[in-house]
Amino acid sequence: MKVFLGAAPGVGKTYRMLDEARRRRERGTDVVVAFVECHGRRSTVEMLEGLEVLPRLPRRYRGAEFPELDLDAALARRPEVALVDELPHTNTPGGRHAKRWQDVQELLDAGIDVLTTVNIQHLESLNDVVQKITGVPQRETVPDEVVRRADQIELVDVAPEGLRRRMAHGSIYAPEKVDAALSHYFRVGNLTALRELALFWLAGRVDEGLQNYRAEHGIASVWETRERVVVALTGGPEGETLIRRASRIARPSSAAAPARDDLRRTSLRPGGDLLAVHVARSDGLADANPAALAAQRRLVESLGGSYHSVVGDSVPAALIDFARAENATQLVLGTSRRGTLVRALTGRGIGETITALSGDIDVHMVTHEQSGRGRRLPVPGRLHSPVRRITGPLAGLVAPVLLTLLLSQTRGAVNLTSDILVFLVAVVGVALLGGVTSALLASLTASLLLNYYFIPPIHRFTIYDGNNVLALLVFAAVAVVVAVVVDRAARLARRAARATAEAETLSALAGSVLGGQSAIEALLTRLRETFGMDSVALLRRTPEDDGTYLDEPARREEIAQVGPRRTAVGERPADPVSAQAVEEVPVGDDAVLLLCGRPLPAADRRVLAAFAAHVAVALDRAHLAEVAAEIAAEIEPVKAADRMRTALLAAVSHDLRTPLAVAMASVSSLRSKDVEFSAEDQQELLAGAEESLGRLNRLVDNLLDMSRLQAGALPLDLRATALEDVLSAAVHSLAEGPRPDAEGPRPDVRSHGLDRAPAVLADGPLLERVVANLVANALRHSGGVPVLVIASALAGQVEVRVVDHGPGLPADDRERVFLPFQRLGDTDNGSGVGLGLALSRGLAEAMGGTLAPEDTPGGGLTMVLTLPADPS
């Protein structure tokens, strides 16, 4: 699939798509136009010449006919490439898919390549952002993931000024629509903001593709395509200083301007990326403050960055590995908190080591208030690393020999007791270095050398003095005991440090899950980072899955996946001894974690089991949330019906009784033989009865219409309808006959633009009722000021604005007025049961339109009725 992405209508997406199709056809590719909307643009229509165009499928809905993509015809034709315009389009009811992008997915599944178009405002994640910028809600959206999965995304870009010139020349809309478009949606500010959204969204998609490419090809060097700043956090008090400094490095403009919340929320951040990382060491250096780390994580996320936690034996190596994996260009560190004396004794610190290992990554050493104020000394590292497994026994052999050579030069000046103590210190040192085995070897070697070189008779393995025998035996015993104790203490310290590192990891995990929007994805991300895996996937087993690797990937359904690369589901790695080992971890009864990367040591199994337990809980919570949503969806109609019934009884009990009482009193008076009424009195009583019965008739009609609307059984006859005729008939109906809301002479209603507006596709009598209701409502609140009705056309839609200059309506009440049986601000008994606006919105939506309130400039309320223009 190739997507042509645009920032706004009219940039030329369809034209570019047709141009691509013509080039492919010239190269011999079988290309078919499945559905393309030209919108009457001459240049686009000309591009269709010479291309095979499939007939459209007419589909009737509510009395009107709409042309749609004929999916079955496209599948039967089976071209190599199909052109499908307007990916987010909502299909007319009656087909097997609600959205056109689902039709496109079926074409792709059938092996047909697709060229399609989409505007940035139709992406689901940006829907609310675009509405906030332009003030226009976008009702047709497509999930971001559908567009991200495209093999190619091409941006069709036009500068705002150029697009407005194209609009003014009549290349996009008809001349009568140009002025309205330029003054509303196509303002320079709107177009500039939409263009920026498109560029940033596409930049994120390109960056994602680059990361996948680097991972697939094993590229470890840094490609400076964009600034990506990593800040190292220890949990110390200097963390906030480092985070803010790194944020200014990543996004220089953030220091001078407010953060762009809308862009940050959609991962479209201007400038570079900010990543904070904490290395939880497993060698005992575990002095991080969990509360401080949690506060620093919140600060990073508030600045638009992301927080990460990894476990590493060497902090410099872990930081460099993380930075290279993220393609970081800059690394921010705090200057050492160790004092001058400690630095002199311990040598090069973490900052100097990272600088030496950084290569092409820039390292920033940031000073802070805690510099040089001291910190804990590092505890020696891994007990049995490969180097120490070699150097330990070697030291057990070499150290006693070197001590023998040294002490032989001081014979006579140093007595036997001192010699034994010196050898004992050497054995303890060997125990610290290589463990108990190396210490035993050193003890044996030292005992033999002491006997041969220092205990009389010298240069013989015999001992004359019994005290010397006792001293040698005590030396050997003490050396062994001390070596065992030292080794055990080191092992316990190692175990405690490991537990501390695991606790830090799980604490960071819990914090990230609680603070994230998607618990499962946050868990998988932390799992991948903690264990250094290439990718992690969560799969759901199907009944056919026996828990082993299968040759049929369809037997497992993927729930979530993080990381740029992993072995295909159900397949073994191509090279069994490669680093891309695949490991399965059961999660609950019907799910499994698939880990791709390095083999995990046994020591990591406990933390891995904790991750799996967290994932199982997250899955259960997600399932419960789905069940709760389904139950709520089933209960809500019942609650709504109950609320409707209660409101109906409350309203009708008054509004039916009042006109009934008036009509009955009038009729009873006329039939009474006790009083003789004059002709004028009789006419007045008859008029009162007629008016009351008329109110009852309208009430019943409204109730019946509302019930038909809610049941979807209201008959519609949609046809081309002139707005000028509708308004004239509506005003005439308000001036004629008994009315409770606008009695008296012809209402003062003025119109503008109705004679120039195109005809709308609507049911004439129903549209007349809608306009009459809106005008009557405006007259009732206008305070004697004339009501203005304005019409304008834009993008295939016609807007009718009914403007009053009354007291207006609070923002909190604007949706309540469209609920049945609501009479906000009406205290008189002639207002009816409050069905007017509810019925008007229902009728408007039934005819394919919308009804929404807006503020009137200078005070008042404007009702905006939007209807589709007649396509003819």
Side-chain angles (χ1 to χ4, degrees):
M1 182 169 69
K2 182 172 183 178
V3 175
F4 293 87
L5 177 69
V11 296
K13 303 180 301 300
T14 304
Y15 186 94
R16 186 76 63 86
M17 179 178 66
L18 292 171
D19 184 56
E20 170 96 0
R22 294 170 71 93
R23 291 199 304 270
R24 294 195 182 197
R25 188 200 59 177
E26 292 172 358
R27 294 195 297 265
T29 305
D30 182 16
V31 179
V32 165
V33 177
F35 188 96
V36 165
E37 186 62 68
C38 297
H39 298 288
R41 296 164 190 167
R42 185 177 65 258
S43 57
T44 307
V45 173
E46 292 174 354
M47 292 296 293
L48 275 174
E49 296 178 1
L51 294 174
E52 180 183 349
V53 181
L54 294 180
R56 299 185 181 186
L57 177 65
R59 190 170 292 157
R60 294 194 62 81
Y61 179 68
R62 291 183 173 178
E65 188 173 282
F66 302 92
E68 293 289 354
L69 165 66
D70 193 339
L71 180 59
D72 292 327
L75 292 172
R77 171 63 176 78
R78 200 173 181 81
E80 293 181 63
V81 179
L83 275 64
V84 182
D85 208 1
E86 299 179 353
L87 186 64
H89 171 76
T90 301
N91 292 329
T92 304
R96 59 176 175 269
H97 297 308
K99 291 285 190 176
R100 185 167 291 167
W101 63 263
Q102 295 170 317
D103 295 337
V104 167
Q105 188 59 52
E106 187 168 342
L107 292 174
L108 294 171
D109 293 340
I112 301 172
D113 292 345
V114 174
L115 304 182
T116 186
T117 63
V118 66
N119 279 330
I120 193 67
Q121 66 264 29
H122 295 297
L123 294 179
E124 203 164 75
S125 67
L126 301 178
N127 184 262
D128 57 338
V129 180
V130 173
Q131 181 174 352
K132 184 176 180 180
I133 293 170
T134 64
V136 179
Q138 303 294 330
R139 294 178 176 83
E140 294 187 332
T141 60
V142 57
D144 291 47
E145 187 58 30
V146 173
V147 182
R148 286 184 181 276
R149 285 201 303 262
D151 300 278
Q152 299 179 54
I153 301 178
E154 181 175 328
L155 179 65
V156 183
D157 186 35
V158 175
E161 295 78 6
L163 184 58
R164 285 173 60 85
R165 282 196 300 270
R166 185 182 295 178
M167 174 80 69
H169 294 158
S171 302
I172 301 176
Y173 293 147
E176 64 271 13
K177 303 178 182 179
V178 171
D179 291 338
L182 290 177
S183 60
H184 291 87
Y185 194 88
F186 286 84
R187 293 193 295 266
V188 174
N190 289 356
L191 297 177
T192 303
L194 292 174
R195 189 187 189 197
E196 185 178 20
L197 282 175
L199 291 171
F200 276 123
W201 190 91
L202 187 59
R205 170 65 168 75
V206 172
D207 186 68
E208 178 183 328
L210 177 62
Q211 295 302 319
N212 290 339
Y213 178 85
R214 284 166 47 81
E216 291 170 1
H217 292 79
I219 299 173
S221 60
V222 175
W223 288 6
E224 299 180 8
T225 54
R226 65 181 299 178
E227 292 296 334
R228 185 172 274 111
V229 181
V230 172
V231 54
L233 302 178
T234 64
E238 75 282 358
E240 290 192 7
T241 301
L242 300 183
I243 292 170
R244 297 185 188 281
R245 183 72 180 97
S247 177
R248 291 195 294 271
I249 293 174
R251 292 182 290 278
S253 61
S254 64
R260 302 186 183 184
D261 295 333
D262 294 325
L263 295 183
R264 180 184 300 123
R265 184 158 46 82
T266 55
S267 299
L268 302 174
R269 299 185 299 272
D273 290 338
L274 174 63
L275 301 92
V277 60
H278 169 67
V279 179
R281 289 185 57 166
S282 59
D283 61 356
L285 186 59
D287 58 349
N289 184 343
L293 281 176
Q296 291 166 13
R297 180 182 68 245
R298 290 192 294 270
L299 176 60
V300 169
E301 292 172 350
S302 70
L303 293 173
S306 57
Y307 178 85
H308 308 266
S309 179
V310 297
V311 175
D313 298 320
S314 169
V315 172
L319 284 176
I320 291 297
D321 290 343
F322 177 83
R324 293 194 184 283
E326 297 294 337
N327 195 30
T329 57
Q330 303 189 56
L331 186 57
V332 178
L333 308 171
T335 53
S336 177
R337 284 185 279 151
R338 299 179 303 161
T340 304
L341 178 60
V342 175
R343 288 201 300 271
L345 294 175
T346 58
R348 190 166 67 174
I350 291 177
E352 292 85 350
T353 304
I354 290 177
T355 303
L357 298 175
S358 61
D360 47 6
I361 301 176
D362 297 337
V363 179
H364 299 262
M365 300 295 294
V366 179
T367 58
H368 51 85
E369 294 181 355
Q370 303 298 321
S371 298
R373 294 194 176 184
R375 61 174 299 165
R376 290 174 54 184
L377 287 173
V379 179
R382 187 184 292 269
L383 284 176
H384 300 293
S385 65
V387 175
R388 295 178 67 179
R389 283 199 298 268
I390 297 174
T391 58
L394 187 61
L397 291 174
V398 174
V401 174
L402 294 177
L403 281 178
T404 300
L405 293 176
L406 178 63
L407 294 175
S408 297
Q409 305 300 321
T410 61
R411 191 184 304 275
V414 179
N415 58 23
L416 179 60
T417 302
S418 299
D419 292 336
I420 291 175
L421 291 175
V422 172
F423 273 98
L424 184 60
V425 171
V427 172
V428 172
V430 171
L432 288 173
L433 178 64
V436 67
T437 302
S438 300
L440 291 175
L441 182 60
S443 176
L444 178 60
T445 305
S447 299
L448 293 175
L449 291 174
L450 277 171
N451 185 12
Y452 191 81
Y453 285 101
F454 298 100
I455 298 178
I458 298 172
H459 300 150
R460 294 179 63 183
F461 287 103
T462 57
I463 304 175
Y464 290 154
D465 192 345
N467 289 329
N468 291 340
V469 174
L470 179 61
L472 186 59
L473 292 176
V474 170
F475 163 76
V478 170
V480 171
V481 171
V482 170
V484 171
V485 171
V486 170
D487 182 73
R488 179 175 174 78
R491 290 180 183 276
L492 290 176
R494 165 71 172 156
R495 190 178 304 170
R498 174 75 187 185
T500 303
E502 291 177 357
E504 286 187 19
T505 301
L506 295 178
S507 174
L509 166 68
S512 64
V513 171
L514 292 175
Q517 295 180 348
S518 174
I520 294 177
E521 290 188 1
L523 282 166
L524 298 187
T525 300
R526 296 303 175 210
L527 176 59
R528 174 177 172 248
E529 293 172 350
T530 299
F531 297 108
M533 307 304 291
D534 290 330
S535 66
V536 178
L538 178 62
L539 312 175
R540 179 181 285 114
R541 288 174 175 160
T542 58
E544 297 83 3
D545 186 6
D546 59 2
T548 60
Y549 289 100
L550 299 175
D551 295 331
E552 300 181 23
R555 293 189 180 182
R556 289 186 181 178
E557 175 189 1
E558 184 175 289
I559 301 174
Q561 187 261 332
V562 295
R565 172 181 56 181
R566 70 174 169 82
T567 305
V569 178
E571 298 180 2
R572 290 185 179 275
D575 181 6
V577 298
S578 69
Q580 277 296 110
V582 177
E583 183 165 357
E584 291 191 11
V585 181
V587 176
D589 297 329
D590 60 349
V592 63
L593 279 172
L594 187 67
L595 284 73
C596 298
R598 64 183 181 89
L600 289 178
D604 291 335
R605 300 289 172 177
R606 183 169 58 182
V607 179
L608 184 57
F611 270 97
H614 277 77
V615 173
V617 171
L619 279 175
D620 290 341
R621 290 178 60 185
H623 176 67
L624 290 175
E626 292 177 359
V627 173
E630 293 176 359
I631 294 175
E634 294 175 358
I635 293 177
E636 186 57 33
V638 179
K639 290 183 177 179
D642 185 65
R643 290 193 298 267
M644 181 75 73
R645 188 181 303 109
T646 303
L648 174 63
L649 291 174
V652 172
S653 63
H654 175 271
D655 290 283
L656 276 177
R657 185 169 53 193
T658 300
L660 271 176
V662 173
M664 290 180 62
S666 300
V667 174
S668 299
S669 298
L670 289 172
R671 295 188 60 188
S672 175
K673 298 180 180 180
D674 298 334
V675 181
E676 292 186 5
F677 294 99
S678 63
E680 294 180 357
D681 292 337
Q682 291 179 4
Q683 289 298 323
E684 184 177 351
L685 289 172
L686 288 173
E690 183 182 9
E691 180 182 340
S692 297
L693 293 174
R695 287 175 58 188
L696 281 175
N697 184 61
R698 287 195 300 276
L699 173 60
V700 173
D701 286 344
N702 285 341
L703 290 173
L704 289 175
D705 286 342
M706 283 297 299
S707 64
R708 293 191 188 102
L709 277 174
Q710 293 176 348
L714 184 68
L716 294 175
D717 181 18
L718 299 181
R719 60 180 62 189
T721 305
L723 290 176
E724 193 173 19
D725 297 339
V726 169
L727 178 63
S728 176
V731 173
H732 181 74
S733 68
L734 291 176
E736 298 292 332
R739 296 178 299 106
D741 47 6
E743 297 179 359
R746 181 178 179 84
D748 190 358
V749 180
R750 301 175 184 178
S751 63
H752 175 72
L754 269 69
D755 54 339
R756 298 191 302 272
V760 296
L761 190 64
D763 186 305
L766 293 183
L767 181 57
E768 179 186 329
R769 289 187 63 186
V770 172
V771 175
N773 281 339
L774 296 179
V775 172
N777 188 70
L779 287 169
R780 187 162 57 245
H781 298 95
S782 63
V785 179
V787 171
L788 181 61
V789 181
I790 307 172
S792 61
L794 174 65
Q797 303 284 325
V798 177
E799 287 187 352
V800 181
R801 297 173 176 267
V802 181
V803 183
D804 72 65
H805 293 277
L809 195 65
D812 295 339
D813 292 337
R814 289 187 180 174
E815 286 302 314
R816 289 179 54 201
V817 297
F818 293 106
L819 298 177
F821 314 113
Q822 298 292 321
R823 294 186 296 185
L824 302 179
D826 288 328
T827 58
D828 62 297
N829 292 335
S831 301
V833 294
L835 283 174
L837 290 179
L839 183 60
S840 297
R841 172 174 275 190
L843 293 175
E845 292 178 348
M847 292 184 288
T850 61
L851 179 62
E854 290 182 359
D855 284 327
T856 300
L861 189 69
T862 298
M863 287 293 180
V864 183
L865 173 65
T866 304
L867 293 168
D870 177 43
S872 61

